[in-house]
């Protein structure tokens, strides 16, 4: 069977992560990606960003329950300010666009800040590094963000980046899809 979208995203990350690498979870939420990355026990450090304090609190709790030696720094700030916090090369970055399903649905990622963050992380990516973006486009802002994202990533210089779209095109109800940006 083909991998589901979230599983495919994890696989694209695992393929390239090596001991001592640095990762970013740009939309921590309840911390599923942060926990997944920390449990690999390979990364030197994970920087996690979210603008909601409750999201970081939940994630802190979830991290404390798993067996990890990875240094996890959770940052209460927008991912658009990534360069103020991350000064080293990055191998993997995860984005889950949209709103936190269990939280305030009016707080969503937004096109401008998402694109600023992606642009900045592209500059921090090391060779073979990947940005893995799950796009939820069922809600109103989601459609605008999806279109802005697709416009932006389609124009990334093919000499520098590979850009992949992984999507089940026969699924109904705006099923999420994946964009993977890889630094050549
Ligand atoms: N991956 C998460 C999980 O495991 O639960 C789900 C993430 S949820 C779809 C999107 C998250 O992005 C929300 O928690 C929201 O607060 C956060 N967010 C929105 N704008 C942001 C920004 N500018 N910087 C960082 N996080 C942001």
């Amino acid at each position: 069977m083909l991998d589901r979208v979230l599983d495919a995203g994890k696989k694209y990350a695992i393929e390239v992560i090596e001991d001592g690498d640095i990762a970013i979870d740009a939309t921590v939420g309840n911390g599923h990606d942060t926990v997944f990355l920390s449990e690999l026990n390979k990364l030197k450090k994970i920087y996690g960003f979210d603008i909601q304090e409750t999201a970081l609190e939940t994630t802190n709790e979830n991290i404390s329950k798993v067996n990890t030696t990875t240094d996890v720094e959770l940052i209460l700030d927008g991912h658009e300010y990534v360069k103020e916090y991350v000064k080293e090369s990055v191998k993997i970055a995860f984005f889950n666009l949209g709103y936190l399903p269990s939280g305030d649905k009016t707080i969503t990622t937004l096109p401008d800040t998402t694109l600023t963050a992606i642009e900045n992380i592209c500059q921090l990516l090391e060779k073979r590094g990947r940005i893995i973006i799950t796009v939820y486009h069922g809600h109103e802002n989601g459609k605008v963000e999806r279109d802005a994202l697709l416009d932006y990533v389609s124009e990334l210089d093919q000499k520098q980046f590979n850009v992949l779209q992984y999507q089940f095109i026969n699924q109904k109800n705006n099923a999420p899809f994946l964009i993977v940006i890889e630094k050549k």
Side-chain angles (χ1 to χ4, degrees), residues 54-122:
T54 49
L56 299 189
E57 282 165 8
T58 307
T59 299
N60 234 333
E61 221 176 286
N62 291 338
I63 294 275
S64 68
K65 292 181 196 149
V66 299
N67 181 16
T68 180
T69 51
T70 306
D71 179 11
V72 180
E73 183 179 346
L74 297 178
I75 299 160
L76 182 62
D77 205 351
H79 41 222
E80 59 274 26
Y81 303 113
V82 59
K83 280 193 159 175
E84 290 179 21
Y85 301 92
V86 184
K87 306 287 179 191
E88 45 204 332
S89 301
V90 169
K91 190 63 157 297
I92 284 293
F94 272 98
F95 285 77
N96 259 215
L97 303 184
Y99 55 81
L100 194 57
S102 56
D104 182 343
K105 294 187 172 47
T106 63
I107 304 176
T108 69
T109 54
L110 295 169
D112 281 359
T113 42
T114 297
L115 293 188
T116 302
I118 290 172
E119 191 177 351
N120 284 327
I121 297 174
C122 277

Side-chain angles (χ1 to χ4, degrees), residues 17-28:
I17 289 176
E18 293 172 315
D19 286 334
D21 282 341
I22 304 293
I24 294 174
D25 184 352
T27 51
V28 167

Side-chain angles (χ1 to χ4, degrees), residues 3-180:
D3 286 316
R4 284 147 36 127
V5 165
L6 292 181
D7 293 333
K10 289 180 180 161
K11 212 155 134 184
Y12 287 126
I14 289 171
E15 272 175 12
V16 294
I17 289 176
E18 293 172 315
D19 286 334
D21 282 341
I22 304 293
I24 294 174
D25 184 352
T27 51
V28 167
N30 290 327
H32 293 110
D33 293 326
T34 306
V35 167
F36 157 72
L37 288 167
S38 68
E39 280 190 303
L40 298 175
N41 278 319
K42 273 185 145 191
L43 294 160
K44 184 171 148 213
K45 180 155 182 173
I46 302 165
Y47 294 89
F49 291 84
D50 207 293
I51 51 172
Q52 297 190 68
E53 198 160 11
T54 49
L56 299 189
E57 282 165 8
T58 307
T59 299
N60 234 333
E61 221 176 286
N62 291 338
I63 294 275
S64 68
K65 292 181 196 149
V66 299
N67 181 16
T68 180
T69 51
T70 306
D71 179 11
V72 180
E73 183 179 346
L74 297 178
I75 299 160
L76 182 62
D77 205 351
H79 41 222
E80 59 274 26
Y81 303 113
V82 59
K83 280 193 159 175
E84 290 179 21
Y85 301 92
V86 184
K87 306 287 179 191
E88 45 204 332
S89 301
V90 169
K91 190 63 157 297
I92 284 293
F94 272 98
F95 285 77
N96 259 215
L97 303 184
Y99 55 81
L100 194 57
S102 56
D104 182 343
K105 294 187 172 47
T106 63
I107 304 176
T108 69
T109 54
L110 295 169
D112 281 359
T113 42
T114 297
L115 293 188
T116 302
I118 290 172
E119 191 177 351
N120 284 327
I121 297 174
C122 277
Q123 291 167 16
L124 293 170
L125 269 192
E126 62 178 89
K127 210 169 161 190
R128 300 255 296 135
R130 292 176 176 175
I131 305 176
I132 295 162
I133 308 160
T134 307
V135 185
Y136 292 88
H137 53 115
H139 59 113
E140 209 42 54
N141 285 341
K143 293 178 187 16
V144 180
E145 188 175 38
R146 171 199 64 201
D147 293 345
L149 176 71
L150 288 174
D151 284 351
Y152 177 77
V153 298
S154 309
E155 293 298 321
L156 281 171
D157 180 3
Q158 70 176 57
K159 292 199 185 97
Q160 292 188 62
F161 297 99
N162 292 314
V163 181
L164 171 79
Q165 182 169 355
Y166 182 94
Q167 181 171 23
F168 291 89
I169 56 175
N170 64 333
Q171 286 182 353
K172 306 281 181 247
N173 300 324
N174 303 303
F177 65 90
L178 206 65
I179 295 288
V180 183

